[in-house]
Amino acid sequence: MAAPGEEEDVMARYRSPLVSRYASAEMAYNFSERKKFGTWRRLWLYLAQAEKSLGLPITDEQIREMEANLDNIDFKMAAEEEKKLRHDVMAHVHTFAHCCPKAAAIIHLGATSCYVGDNTDLIVLRDGFNLLLPKLARVISRLADFAEKYADMPALGFTHYQPAQLTTVGKRCCLWIQDLCMDLQNLERARDDLRFRGVKGTTGTQASFLQLFEGDHSKVEELDRLVTAKAGFKRAYMVTGQTYSRKVDIGVLAVLASLGASIHKICTDIRLLANLKEIEEPFEKDQIGSSAMPYKRNPMRSERCCSLARHLMTLVMDPLQTAAVQWFERTLDDSANRRVCLAEAFLTADIILSTLQNVSEGLVVYPKVIERRIRQELPFMATENIIMAMVKAGGNRQDCHEKIRVLSQQAAAVVKQEGGDNDFIARVRADPYFSPIHKQLESLLDPSSFTGRAPQQVAKFLKEEVRPALIPYQSKMGGKIELAL
């Protein structure tokens, strides 16, 4: 511990790497103490303004005093007050009142702690989604450009991570994009579904406000509506306990966990492709892949995404359990947990989106490696085409099938037992039986004839589904991202 008056050594204390190492300044600020307590003061201002407009004895001078001190927060005084009072909201009521002596009597009038606590959380969640959505859109846009560029490039497809029919590099990328487009819709819906807790009182009955307005129900309803609108929400939850339902947090973290699953799958695919040397994430000139093996080019950005995505996916368990154990109108065992899981979910999502954007802006494709892998596997895939060509040339299907079975097994033995190249086509060329189609073999082995409608699917998907979904974010699409670490 630093002695009184000495500057504390920040390197001597634990700092979350989500903030100190990875997250954007915007998302870190969104969950900062300054944003939180500044929002509390704004909510107290909104409440006072609305109460004044509905006839309570609040003066213009009191309102102006509050407006002038929204960001004039004495954090040291607030910390001392909280240590003394053991209550964070009342500590900040006193701190705000200290710099607003004329307004002191009407700050927090009729409200409970959750008026500022829960409503601020909802504002921060909404603003968090507004930070994530353009980042997600940018990732989709970069991958869409990549898919369009490589829409026609044949590549070996895999099922069970075993060679399957051909696809294209662009078509595979569209599988990633489709998942992210679902996430874009889910995040938009989750943000738009958020409501304000509003002005509901200690157990959600609005009893204190009904007393303030001498039994006038219409004024209490109007107060709720006015403050909700001032906070930028279209609707408030009609019924609450002391808190808004903690099921809201489940919905928020569920869509973020789903995003984490999508990014984990994408980056796992990139890591596998890097091992195959078909596609690599960007690798900087002076970057070191291994302290012991200087030749290595590890997919560290994709690995980081997978690592953090796992954390993001697990966080949804916190609000699930919190919502399940909230007794009656509320218990306080939600508070400490929510301080951690809500912030970490958005910070983690922010980090993996920024990292994936960096990856998607610099993906490197190695066409010759992709072509070589196709040449190794395509001869076996072409056997049905060869049979059909022989039948058209007057051959017997069963005889041809047996010939190909024998030759393909011989070729497979060369690959698996001798470590040689697939020589199936050479064996076909050397067999007089297949002489009627020898001149057709090149066309029968054209990789583009094995990709089906993949190029057309890419073009249609990008045009009809992806590009339209990105229209609301067009103004925020520019600029590449550089990672600090």
Side-chain angles (χ1 to χ4, degrees):
M1 295 292 291
E6 291 184 2
E7 186 175 336
E8 185 177 4
D9 180 5
V10 295
M11 303 307 290
R13 297 184 64 186
Y14 173 78
R15 295 182 299 159
S16 169
L18 293 176
V19 174
S20 65
R21 188 174 179 89
Y22 300 127
S24 68
E26 296 82 4
M27 190 61 79
Y29 172 75
N30 190 51
F31 286 92
S32 69
E33 299 286 88
R34 186 167 295 280
K35 167 77 177 274
K36 175 181 176 179
F37 297 129
T39 304
W40 284 13
R41 291 193 174 189
R42 283 162 176 79
L43 287 168
W44 282 319
L45 172 65
Y46 300 155
L47 180 62
Q49 288 172 329
E51 288 174 336
K52 177 181 182 297
S53 71
L54 292 170
L56 292 190
I58 296 172
T59 67
D60 290 337
E61 187 178 22
Q62 288 172 316
I63 296 295
R64 286 194 298 270
E65 189 179 52
M66 293 174 73
E67 290 173 334
N69 287 281
L70 291 176
D71 298 308
N72 179 26
I73 304 175
D74 186 337
F75 288 100
K76 183 178 179 181
M77 178 182 179
E80 291 170 351
E81 287 286 332
E82 184 173 356
K83 187 176 182 180
K84 179 174 63 177
L85 301 173
R86 308 299 295 178
H87 197 288
D88 57 351
V89 173
M90 287 309 299
H92 277 269
V93 168
H94 289 188
T95 304
F96 195 19
H98 180 76
C99 57
C100 298
K102 295 187 176 86
I106 55 93
I107 293 172
H108 198 66
L109 183 59
T112 186
S113 298
C114 285
Y115 166 70
V116 288
D118 272 32
N119 283 324
T120 292
D121 286 345
L122 290 162
I123 290 170
V124 168
L125 296 179
R126 178 197 63 195
D127 293 351
F129 279 127
N130 285 335
L131 290 172
L132 291 179
L133 282 163
K135 293 190 175 190
L136 176 53
R138 279 198 295 271
V139 170
I140 293 170
S141 176
R142 303 306 189 264
L143 290 175
D145 292 341
F146 179 86
E148 191 169 50
K149 181 177 180 180
Y150 294 102
D152 300 329
M153 181 180 285
L156 183 64
F158 291 92
T159 57
H160 315 275
Y161 201 38
Q162 301 300 314
Q165 289 292 321
L166 299 191
T167 183
T168 70
V169 173
K171 170 62 190 298
R172 174 177 284 146
C173 183
C174 283
L175 299 179
W176 304 339
I177 295 169
Q178 181 167 251
D179 286 352
L180 294 176
C181 284
M182 293 181 191
D183 293 315
L184 188 73
Q185 292 176 336
N186 289 340
L187 263 65
E188 288 173 337
R189 185 183 66 251
R191 177 199 60 190
D192 296 343
D193 282 350
L194 285 175
R195 301 189 192 185
F196 203 52
R197 178 189 176 270
V199 183
K200 298 295 196 298
T202 52
T203 57
T205 65
Q206 299 177 305
S208 58
F209 297 104
L210 192 62
Q211 184 176 0
L212 279 174
F213 290 104
E214 298 179 346
D216 191 329
H217 290 268
S218 64
K219 284 191 175 182
V220 175
E221 289 185 4
E222 182 64 5
L223 178 70
D224 203 0
R225 189 196 67 78
L226 285 172
V227 175
T228 297
K230 286 176 181 292
F233 285 82
K234 295 180 180 178
R235 297 180 298 170
Y237 295 107
M238 293 186 70
V239 294
T240 73
Q242 190 170 86
T243 70
Y244 68 78
S245 171
R246 294 309 183 219
K247 283 185 71 68
V248 173
D249 296 342
I250 297 174
V252 169
L253 265 64
V255 298
L256 297 180
S258 182
L259 172 65
S262 299
I263 293 180
H264 198 298
K265 185 265 191 289
I266 292 167
C267 290
T268 299
D269 283 357
I270 293 173
R271 293 164 64 191
L272 293 170
L273 290 167
N275 172 261
L276 296 175
K277 297 179 173 61
E278 292 190 8
I279 292 178
E280 287 182 343
E281 65 178 41
F283 197 89
E284 297 171 18
K285 178 184 175 184
D286 297 324
Q287 183 174 331
I288 294 175
S290 166
S291 62
M293 296 168 281
Y295 60 86
K296 293 195 76 179
R297 290 170 64 99
N298 298 332
M300 53 83 66
R301 292 170 175 83
S302 297
E303 290 173 315
R304 177 187 299 173
C305 284
C306 290
S307 181
L308 290 170
R310 286 202 298 274
H311 177 59
L312 178 55
M313 287 186 282
T314 64
L315 287 173
V316 72
M317 290 304 300
D318 277 337
L320 280 168
Q321 296 184 62
T322 295
V325 299
Q326 285 298 287
W327 302 346
F328 302 113
E329 281 65 49
R330 82 89 47 102
T331 63
L332 197 60
D333 62 345
D334 62 338
S335 179
N337 185 285
R338 294 175 71 251
R339 288 175 191 267
V340 176
C341 71
L342 295 180
E344 288 201 356
F346 278 86
L347 289 164
T348 306
D350 178 70
I351 295 159
I352 60 178
L353 282 173
S354 296
T355 308
L356 184 56
Q357 181 185 335
N358 177 265
V359 170
S360 63
E361 288 172 346
L363 286 172
V364 181
V365 178
Y366 296 104
K368 295 299 182 183
V369 178
I370 294 173
E371 291 171 9
R372 184 178 66 200
R373 183 155 286 108
I374 290 174
R375 287 197 304 271
Q376 292 171 345
E377 301 293 341
L378 190 61
F380 293 148
M381 298 177 193
T383 54
E384 186 67 18
N385 288 9
I386 292 172
I387 291 173
M388 293 299 100
M390 280 295 296
V391 170
K392 289 180 181 179
N396 179 281
R397 185 195 181 281
Q398 279 64 41
D399 293 341
C400 183
H401 185 280
E402 178 59 20
K403 284 276 188 181
I404 288 178
R405 186 188 68 81
V406 173
L407 295 180
S408 63
Q409 290 186 359
Q410 292 171 351
V414 170
V415 173
K416 295 178 180 179
Q417 297 174 19
E418 300 176 18
D421 292 332
N422 188 333
D423 63 358
F424 172 72
I425 296 302
R427 292 175 185 274
V428 171
R429 289 187 189 281
D431 193 324
Y433 174 82
F434 293 99
S435 58
I437 63 165
H438 280 170
K439 293 182 179 180
Q440 300 178 45
L441 286 176
E442 287 299 324
S443 62
L444 291 174
L445 290 167
D446 180 6
S448 64
S449 67
F450 290 83
T451 58
R453 297 192 65 253
Q456 291 75 22
Q457 288 180 351
V458 171
K460 187 178 178 67
F461 174 60
L462 295 181
K463 179 182 178 181
E464 296 185 11
E465 292 197 20
V466 179
R467 304 294 187 193
L470 300 179
I471 289 174
Y473 307 97
Q474 288 296 341
S475 64
K476 299 180 180 179
M477 288 297 182
K480 287 193 173 185
I481 191 167
E482 299 295 335
L483 298 181
L485 289 170

